[in-house]
Amino acid sequence: DQQVKQNSPSLSVQEGRISILNCDYTNSMFDYFLWYKKYPAEGPTFLISISSIKDKNEDGRFTVFLNKSAKHLSLHIVPSQPGDSAVYFCAASDNTDKLIFGTGTRLQVFP
Amino acid sequence: KAGVTQTPRYLIKTRGQQVTLSCSPISGHRSVSWYQQTPGQGLQFLFEYFSETQRNKGNFPGRFSGRQFSNSRSEMNVSTLELGDSALYLCASSLGKGSYTEAFFGQGTRLTVV
């Protein structure tokens, strides 16, 4: 039972454009959401997070949006850069140190 | 400050053997979690240790076990290895406070079972 879903296994975007990565969850007990970025042969790196009491959090080029009623969150990267090419994982937590991850979306930013 | 350190980086084992993986968390972090990453499955939570006690557990068979030492270092053990155990095993550390804080990951141990 996949509680956190990333339905797009891959995404290709031109440099300078917006990248939008989507994530859906099923467990209404989740109250904290995170995005991690992973390069090959490295561990995931924390990118940005959002608490369930907010609907938007912004950090530089990265913005996460949360729609609690739809149980949906998205990560916007503007403008996209070639160095953003990586696998992006969405994760959720129910106020514990246990993270439930999605299966990841491979983003490729081309010139 | 030093990040999360996992050893070894790569490991090849034979079916039926057992393996022990090690994780040293960031200094001051008391929570250590373990995850298994396989193609198409994302990262799956194995267990979490805090102050030498297992605090959370995922849905893995009893062949997967772990422990945490008083210095917060953690080990993960897999007994009677199966081919399907081949994966990247990731360790993450965090402060482990009541409300969730971000976890920092190590580079992982790539286990291949032949």
Side-chain angles (χ1 to χ4, degrees):
Chain A
D1 177 30
Q2 194 74 25
Q3 297 185 66
V4 178
K5 300 178 185 178
Q6 293 177 258
N7 293 318
S8 298
S10 64
L11 177 67
S12 190
V13 172
Q14 189 173 31
E15 181 178 6
R17 301 272 189 154
I18 184 172
S19 294
I20 300 177
L21 296 95
N22 294 302
C23 178
D24 297 294
Y25 62 96
T26 57
N27 189 341
S28 57
M29 296 300 292
F30 289 147
D31 62 358
Y32 196 77
F33 304 89
L34 308 91
W35 284 93
Y36 281 83
K37 175 179 173 180
K38 187 178 185 299
Y39 293 116
E42 293 184 13
T45 303
F46 170 77
L47 205 53
I48 192 168
S49 63
I50 188 167
S51 165
S52 61
I53 62 173
K54 296 184 175 181
D55 53 20
K56 177 182 174 181
N57 188 27
E58 193 171 351
D59 183 2
R61 296 186 298 115
F62 303 91
T63 303
V64 56
F65 295 92
L66 174 63
N67 182 334
K68 287 189 292 295
S69 60
K71 293 191 176 66
H72 176 85
L73 66 154
S74 61
L75 174 68
H76 292 209
I77 306 174
V78 182
S80 301
Q81 300 173 353
D84 296 329
S85 297
V87 177
Y88 289 77
F89 289 97
C90 165
S93 170
D94 56 0
N95 200 29
T96 69
D97 283 88
K98 172 181 177 179
L99 287 175
I100 306 299
F101 282 85
T103 51
T105 296
R106 183 176 301 277
L107 172 66
Q108 183 177 7
V109 180
F110 60 92
Chain B
K1 60 183 175 185
V4 179
T5 304
Q6 290 188 247
T7 56
R9 289 292 310 279
Y10 302 93
L11 208 48
I12 299 176
K13 289 286 188 178
T14 307
R15 272 182 302 175
Q17 287 187 311
Q18 75 162 11
V19 67
T20 299
L21 312 181
S22 180
C23 172
S24 293
I26 291 171
S27 177
H29 284 191
R30 296 171 65 190
S31 170
V32 174
S33 298
W34 289 89
Y35 294 84
Q36 180 196 65
Q37 185 188 9
T38 53
Q41 293 294 317
L43 282 76
Q44 297 196 296
F45 175 79
L46 281 152
F47 28 66
E48 183 234 350
Y49 286 86
F50 181 82
S51 292
E52 302 178 66
T53 301
Q54 188 181 86
R55 193 163 65 169
N56 286 290
K57 188 176 187 305
N59 298 322
F60 278 80
R63 299 186 297 107
F64 292 81
S65 63
R67 60 177 175 169
Q68 187 181 33
F69 303 94
S70 58
N71 62 357
S72 292
R73 190 178 71 85
S74 177
E75 288 182 348
M76 190 191 99
N77 184 278
V78 188
S79 61
T80 320
L81 283 165
E82 300 177 359
L83 294 179
D85 297 332
S86 295
L88 179 67
Y89 290 88
L90 291 158
C91 162
S93 80
S94 69
L95 291 171
K97 295 182 177 179
S99 57
Y100 189 77
T101 55
E102 67 201 54
F104 295 86
F105 283 83
Q107 290 186 291
T109 294
R110 170 73 62 186
L111 171 65
T112 302
V113 182
V114 296

